[in-house]
Amino acid sequence: GDSVTQMEGPVTLSEEAFLTINCTYTATGYPSLFWYVQYPGEGLQLLLKATKADDKGSNKGFEATYRKETTSFHLEKGSVQVSDSAVYFCALSDRGYSTLTFGKGTMLLVSP
Amino acid sequence: NAGVTQTPKFRILKIGQSMTLQCTQDMNHNYMYWYRQDPGMGLKLIYYSVGAGITDKGEVPNGYNVSRSTTEDFPLRLELAAPSQTSVYFCASIPPGRNEQFFGPGTRLTVL
């Protein structure tokens, strides 16, 4: 079945450092891929998405490229801020009715 | 959260009690979902609905029931609460013409 694997956290960075959070997936079809972010005590918010191979999703300085050949969708940001501290979830939608399969989440902690 | 509301925000149940978690959206979204989030485990799909009168099981439906008598409401019912159902529950929906889910703020449930 479908699955999503993310790097384990927490990822701890200093402000203005470069961020990469790895995400790889297994799917039988051609899934859409998503990154969601969860700030402490809140629900999930869509950060970015990509619906086909080689698409690049971007939002708020974050980027991720849909790599079909490596089945990956790594999240990157050139310069993180303290306000980026949150849990980041990679997810895919492959089955019917847009149901999502999530990774376990990666906590990011950014210090001043 | 694109107008998805959930009540209550917090609840403590005793083993064997029952309760209904409410989820409402007033934007005419057809697709709605219930997930549970356990620490370090990502989100797991419990049930979903593609329209009024239509529901289907997700990955972890045991111990739960749903109904969808109207487009706006998608309640989740726990009949005999068990400690294993201690979790944070999120409802989500998809606006027409989109393929990404928008999440409510969540309900934190503790079963003692």
Side-chain angles (χ1 to χ4, degrees), chain B residues 3 5 8 10-11 17-18 20 24 26 36 39 46 63-64 69-70 72 76-77 80 83 86 89 95-96 102 109:
Chain B
T5 60
F10 305 94
R11 182 73 185 269
Q17 287 185 317
S18 61
T20 299
T24 299
D26 61 0
R36 59 177 288 171
I46 305 172
Y64 307 94
S69 56
T70 66
E72 293 77 20
L76 178 71
R77 177 86 178 159
L80 291 170
T86 294
Y89 292 83
F102 290 87
L109 175 67

Side-chain angles (χ1 to χ4, degrees), chain A residues 9-80:
Chain A
V11 174
T12 56
L13 295 173
S14 298
E15 207 165 25
E16 299 183 1
F18 184 86
L19 169 70
T20 299
I21 300 179
N22 290 336
C23 171
T24 57
Y25 68 90
T26 302
T28 52
Y30 300 92
S32 294
L33 301 174
F34 305 85
W35 277 102
Y36 281 85
V37 58
Q38 184 178 33
Y39 298 101
E42 298 184 9
L44 277 72
Q45 301 175 26
L46 178 68
L47 182 59
L48 53 85
K49 70 173 186 177
T51 56
K52 61 183 187 297
D54 300 324
D55 270 0
K56 177 185 283 188
S58 61
N59 186 26
K60 300 180 181 179
F62 291 90
E63 293 182 340
T65 300
Y66 189 142
R67 300 289 189 197
K68 186 171 183 294
E69 64 276 13
T70 55
T71 61
S72 64
F73 193 53
H74 304 321
L75 183 68
E76 297 182 334
K77 187 176 185 183
S79 177
V80 294

Side-chain angles (χ1 to χ4, degrees), chain A residues 32 34 36 38 41-44 46 49 51 89 97-100 102-104, chain B residues 31 33 35 37 40-43 45 48 50 90 94 99-101 103-105:
Chain A
S32 294
F34 305 85
Y36 281 85
Q38 184 178 33
E42 298 184 9
L44 277 72
L46 178 68
K49 70 173 186 177
T51 56
F89 291 93
Y97 308 116
S98 298
T99 56
L100 288 172
F102 283 89
K104 293 184 178 181
Chain B
Y31 289 15
Y33 310 82
Y35 295 89
Q37 181 182 26
M41 295 301 295
L43 281 76
L45 181 65
Y48 66 99
V50 301
F90 289 102
I94 295 183
N99 74 336
E100 63 266 27
Q101 295 183 22
F103 285 77

Side-chain angles (χ1 to χ4, degrees), chain B residues 8-88:
Chain B
K9 289 187 177 180
F10 305 94
R11 182 73 185 269
I12 298 175
L13 285 180
K14 295 182 179 179
I15 294 172
Q17 287 185 317
S18 61
M19 78 164 293
T20 299
L21 283 68
Q22 301 292 344
C23 176
T24 299
Q25 50 81 20
D26 61 0
M27 298 160 294
N28 215 31
H29 297 179
N30 282 321
Y31 289 15
M32 297 185 73
Y33 310 82
W34 273 107
Y35 295 89
R36 59 177 288 171
Q37 181 182 26
D38 300 310
M41 295 301 295
L43 281 76
K44 302 289 187 183
L45 181 65
I46 305 172
Y47 271 95
Y48 66 99
S49 170
V50 301
I54 306 170
T55 63
D56 207 348
K57 296 178 180 178
E59 186 179 356
V60 290
N62 291 344
Y64 307 94
N65 282 300
V66 294
S67 59
R68 187 89 184 274
S69 56
T70 66
T71 300
E72 293 77 20
D73 299 309
F74 189 39
L76 178 71
R77 177 86 178 159
L78 284 70
E79 292 293 349
L80 291 170
S84 60
Q85 294 177 304
T86 294
S87 189
V88 181

